[in-house]
Amino acid sequence: MKHSTTPQTRRGHRGPARRIGRSLALVLPVVLVLSGTLAVTQVNWSGDPQDSVLAATDVTTAGDAKNAAPRAPQDVLRDQLVAELKAKDPGVALTHLQQAVDERPSLAKHCVSIARALGRAAVRVYGPARAQSFARPVCDTAFASGVLAARG
């Protein structure tokens, strides 16, 4: 004797709502992980504004250049060494970094960040494998960590 007027279905066939729910339960975590990964890759984690994906363009005029603050010595040194790395090779730039730190001990606290910037620049110019071949123990192997960070 049946007590219900609704037709009974077999346990495995509960209709389209259950099928949609199961599909969402499988797809939604994948979509969330991928979107989170893509969002994280767009963030400038290096702290170097030159590496930023969303860096603003430089619109400095001649009048603004007079009012601009002088650049820090470590920024000037980093830019010179990156230019030297592109013109010659990372080995020469690393040697000059070590010499600059020896001559001006106040630059020692910036040595690691400069060497990492050189490592990232070397990967952009020479590729990861060739850039790694220039690594040497300047500033506690910070150059090699910059190469590694730029690789992937």
Side-chain angles (χ1 to χ4, degrees):
M1 175 161 151
K2 280 188 173 179
H3 295 286
S4 170
T5 59
T6 10
Q8 297 291 322
T9 59
R10 291 188 314 207
R11 188 174 182 99
H13 304 325
R14 293 199 174 152
R18 183 150 178 113
R19 230 181 346 230
I20 292 170
R22 283 186 177 176
S23 297
L24 281 176
L26 292 173
V27 173
L28 192 59
V30 173
V31 170
L32 290 174
V33 167
L34 288 176
S35 64
T37 302
L38 292 175
V40 168
T41 59
Q42 296 299 316
V43 174
N44 177 14
W45 295 101
S46 69
D48 188 5
Q50 294 175 347
D51 291 340
S52 178
V53 175
L54 302 174
T57 58
D58 186 20
V59 290
T60 305
T61 61
D64 291 340
K66 294 177 196 172
N67 298 333
R71 296 181 61 209
Q74 66 269 13
D75 295 336
V76 173
L77 177 63
R78 182 191 65 234
D79 292 345
Q80 288 173 348
L81 292 174
V82 168
E84 188 173 43
L85 177 142
K86 291 176 182 176
K88 296 178 183 172
D89 68 65
V92 173
L94 287 170
T95 299
H96 289 156
L97 172 61
Q98 188 65 54
Q99 289 170 351
V101 169
D102 291 343
E103 291 170 7
R104 293 182 66 187
S106 63
L107 291 172
K109 63 183 174 186
H110 303 287
C111 186
V112 171
S113 65
I114 294 171
R116 282 190 184 137
L118 289 174
R120 290 190 301 269
V123 169
R124 286 192 296 267
V125 174
Y126 296 99
R130 186 148 181 239
Q132 186 64 38
S133 70
F134 291 103
R136 58 177 71 165
V138 176
C139 307
D140 298 327
T141 65
F143 176 82
S145 69
V147 169
L148 182 63
R151 286 178 87 164

